[in-house]
Amino acid sequence: FRVRGDSVEIIPASREEHAIRVEFFGDEIDRIREVDVLTGEIVGDREHVAIFPASHFVTREEKLKKAIENIEKELEVRAKELKDQDKLLEAQRIEQRTNYDLEMMREMGFCSGIENYSRHLTFREPGATPYTLMDYFPDDFLIMVDESHVTLPQVRGMYNGDRARKQVLVDHGFRLPSAMDNRPLQFPEFEEKVNQATYVSATPGPYELEHTPKMTEQIIRPTGLLDPEIDVRPIHGQIDDLVGEINKRNEKNERVLVTTLTKKMSEDLTDYLKELGIKVAYLHSEIKTLQRIEIIRDLRVGKYDVLVGINLLREGLDIPEVSLVSILDADKEGFLRSDRSLIQTIGRAARNENGRVIMYADKMTKSMQFAIDETYRRREKQIAYNEEHGITPTTIKKEVRDVIKATAVAEEEGNYEATKKPSEMTKKERQEMIDNLETEMKQAARDLDFERAAELRDVLLELKAEG
């Protein structure tokens, strides 16, 4: 904030470009205005403004004094421990760092990394369960866990990952041991807070299967689409066979996904297909969100006919134009060729009425057999339902959105033209693009299109990082 005469200008942490100017007449507020921070231009008058703390660790002075006393006691004990172990450098480091943080807290009520003192600020016992968003929900709240076979192991692994990182900081005198109590929930703690949950997954994991008294299957699609047919072909000559299949799909203006086992194989295959004149892109983990959305969009509008990947062509990839998914080396058992991975990959071809999957393998593994049996079990039910209700499967009609302004597509003509990429833009052009995206993101949020708003938020974060 800044004070100018009888005016106080408050700059919220969430919107640094605009400030709230509160004009006083004596001790009373005379007027509230929103102004541009840089130019001082008045944006508009405001009747009411809600100002939230920049950090949720802001606390009252008497509580802060008590917390500081507790931190000082812990510092004294920890410094003695380190000196007794002859770790003089670490002892000096923890004293210097903590005393600086305490000085900032006394003067400003805040310090960088204040969350590491959250146990003291909330007066919790060592090892006590931290407060989370779930504590604010009513008793009858429902948790929806999407792609639960991936999400639940991530929740389970959060605590250990966080603890391993913090342990190093504590051991080397960068943080007090109480910093380890600013942590994610352990899985049993998470379970205690969950009153009722719905797990959603095409491939439920062991936890969901064990804890679900009754599983509900959603096999029938509103479009009548069937799970794809699956061919198993020998590995010998798999690339030549794949090229032939790609050419067949090109004639029908359909797209192909190819999943490989290694990064090198993906790169080599991409280079080989390019030499043959096939429009191909390689999707890998080093590609940022912004580029990934762009590549998938380019595939849909026909700039590419083939997408090659390793582990990204799975959950959440919804491309109706894809009619063929090729799984190379499908018989190499492991994480990438487990029954769950195979079922998820097969599902990428279930958005098109001509969907087909080709597995290249020299032997039938248990995972392959399970995935094939499961796919055909679902397919039989879908066919029976369609015949009974006279439904003809139709490919999903999904508009190709302008995800970012860096790509402009004339949908009617199917003509593709790329304007400048963010990395090639001037600072002014990038700022204009960020402003446009922010407007679009806020409009999407107002329209309750939260998926779109989240996509745009990720794009914005990357653009700002590049700037």
Side-chain angles (χ1 to χ4, degrees):
F1 67 92
R2 60 191 178 198
V3 180
R4 291 179 171 180
D6 289 337
S7 299
V8 178
E9 290 184 0
I10 303 157
I11 305 169
S14 57
R15 294 187 64 199
E16 292 177 1
E17 68 276 11
H18 287 174
I20 304 300
R21 180 184 291 163
V22 183
E23 298 176 8
F24 287 89
F25 182 75
D27 289 340
E28 291 183 2
I29 292 174
D30 185 37
R31 185 165 51 186
I32 302 173
R33 283 182 158 179
E34 191 169 340
V35 297
D36 188 292
V37 173
L38 190 64
T39 63
E41 184 185 342
I42 295 165
V43 178
D45 287 349
R46 301 287 177 261
E47 288 296 316
H48 170 267
V49 173
I51 297 170
F52 300 97
S55 163
H56 51 280
F57 290 106
V58 173
T59 187
R60 289 197 299 277
E61 196 173 348
E62 62 271 17
K63 277 193 168 186
L64 191 62
K65 281 181 181 173
K66 180 70 178 162
I68 288 171
E69 282 176 28
N70 292 338
I71 294 166
E72 285 173 335
K73 285 176 190 170
E74 187 190 3
L75 172 62
E76 197 179 319
V77 171
R78 181 61 181 159
K80 186 177 183 305
E81 268 177 27
L82 291 170
K83 285 172 183 171
D84 290 347
Q85 294 168 21
D86 210 24
K87 293 183 175 179
L88 302 180
L89 177 65
E90 285 83 350
Q92 184 199 5
R93 186 184 286 146
I94 193 67
E95 284 179 333
Q96 195 174 3
R97 176 146 197 163
T98 308
N99 284 326
Y100 174 77
D101 285 346
L102 291 174
E103 191 65 30
M104 288 294 289
M105 285 159 76
R106 284 191 190 100
E107 294 297 320
M108 309 287 293
F110 184 79
C111 72
S112 178
I114 195 169
E115 65 275 4
N116 290 293
Y117 302 107
S118 63
R119 191 188 90 197
H120 294 294
L121 291 166
T122 53
F123 303 107
R124 285 184 287 122
E125 292 297 316
T129 304
Y131 299 115
T132 65
L133 183 65
M134 291 163 76
D135 293 312
Y136 292 85
F137 294 153
D139 293 339
D140 61 346
F141 79 97
L142 170 69
I143 288 189
M144 298 285 291
V145 184
D146 193 23
E147 303 293 4
S148 58
H149 63 287
V150 175
T151 309
L152 289 175
Q154 286 177 343
V155 173
R156 193 187 291 274
M158 276 184 201
Y159 171 78
N160 289 331
D162 180 79
R163 187 172 183 84
R165 183 176 62 82
K166 293 237 176 82
Q167 189 67 57
V168 174
L169 295 176
V170 170
D171 290 347
H172 290 84
F174 288 99
R175 287 289 171 203
L176 291 171
S178 59
M180 296 215 276
D181 285 322
N182 172 49
R183 58 175 176 82
L185 296 177
Q186 295 179 37
F187 200 72
E189 293 170 337
F190 171 75
E191 286 181 300
E192 280 173 24
K193 290 181 184 289
V194 176
N195 184 27
Q196 47 190 357
T198 300
Y199 303 115
V200 182
S201 173
T203 52
Y207 179 86
E208 300 94 296
L209 295 173
E210 286 168 20
H211 290 76
T212 306
K214 186 182 178 187
M215 187 164 66
T216 305
E217 288 191 316
Q218 190 179 352
I219 291 175
I220 308 303
R221 297 185 176 91
T223 51
L225 282 171
L226 310 173
D227 276 30
E229 289 190 70
I230 301 171
D231 285 351
V232 180
R233 300 182 184 177
I235 289 176
H236 182 71
Q238 62 181 352
I239 303 302
D240 292 337
D241 186 76
L242 174 62
V243 170
E245 291 293 338
I246 290 170
N247 290 331
K248 284 182 196 172
R249 297 306 181 289
N250 283 357
E251 290 166 12
K252 299 177 188 173
N253 193 29
E254 294 171 348
R255 313 285 179 263
V256 180
L257 297 181
V258 182
T259 175
T260 66
L261 267 182
T262 63
K263 192 175 177 183
K264 180 149 188 356
M265 188 175 181
S266 284
E267 289 166 352
D268 291 347
L269 178 60
T270 304
D271 292 340
Y272 178 67
L273 294 176
K274 279 180 182 172
E275 285 171 18
L276 296 178
I278 292 169
K279 296 182 288 183
V280 59
Y282 169 32
L283 199 67
H284 54 87
S285 57
E286 288 166 27
I287 292 178
K288 292 184 178 177
T289 309
L290 180 62
Q291 293 168 292
R292 199 177 300 174
I293 296 169
E294 218 174 309
I295 288 170
I296 291 169
R297 177 176 169 52
D298 289 349
L299 180 79
R300 294 196 62 199
V301 298
K303 185 179 180 184
Y304 303 121
D305 291 323
V306 182
L307 205 54
V308 178
I310 305 170
N311 195 32
L312 298 174
L313 307 179
R314 289 181 41 181
E315 296 88 358
L317 203 62
D318 187 11
I319 310 173
E321 291 80 5
V322 170
S323 65
L324 174 65
V325 172
S326 295
I327 303 172
L328 304 184
D329 300 313
D331 56 355
K332 304 292 187 289
E333 280 274 27
F335 170 69
L336 294 173
R337 296 292 179 264
S338 66
D339 49 12
R340 285 193 185 87
S341 292
L342 290 172
I343 290 171
Q344 287 289 347
T345 307
I346 289 164
R348 300 316 103 205
R351 272 69 173 164
N352 191 293
E353 62 198 72
N354 303 317
R356 179 174 287 272
V357 174
I358 300 175
M359 293 184 181
Y360 292 100
D362 287 334
K363 64 178 189 288
M364 183 67 74
T365 63
K366 284 182 182 176
S367 296
M368 284 173 64
Q369 192 63 59
F370 181 86
I372 292 168
D373 290 347
E374 178 61 15
T375 302
Y376 277 104
R377 181 186 74 83
R378 295 176 185 181
R379 187 178 165 85
E380 282 168 16
K381 287 189 177 184
Q382 290 158 354
I383 290 170
Y385 184 88
N386 287 356
E387 285 174 356
E388 186 183 337
H389 295 85
I391 297 171
T392 305
T394 50
T395 300
I396 295 170
K397 295 287 183 284
K398 184 180 172 185
E399 64 166 328
V400 184
R401 293 180 188 160
D402 277 320
V403 176
I404 53 168
K405 298 289 180 280
T407 52
V409 178
E411 297 293 341
E412 291 75 28
E413 297 84 29
N415 176 33
Y416 188 93
E417 60 177 55
T419 58
K420 281 187 185 176
K421 295 198 170 184
S423 54
E424 298 165 0
M425 289 181 177
T426 63
K427 198 169 182 181
K428 188 180 177 185
E429 287 171 335
R430 189 186 281 119
Q431 189 54 50
E432 280 178 10
M433 184 175 168
I434 286 171
D435 292 343
N436 290 338
L437 283 173
E438 277 185 342
T439 306
E440 204 174 334
M441 178 183 74
K442 286 169 185 171
Q443 185 57 48
R446 279 194 290 272
D447 295 341
L448 305 184
D449 187 356
F450 298 115
E451 285 182 10
R452 173 91 174 123
E455 267 178 16
L456 290 166
R457 179 204 60 203
D458 292 345
V459 170
L460 271 168
L461 289 173
E462 288 198 6
L463 275 174
K464 286 178 179 176
E466 283 180 21

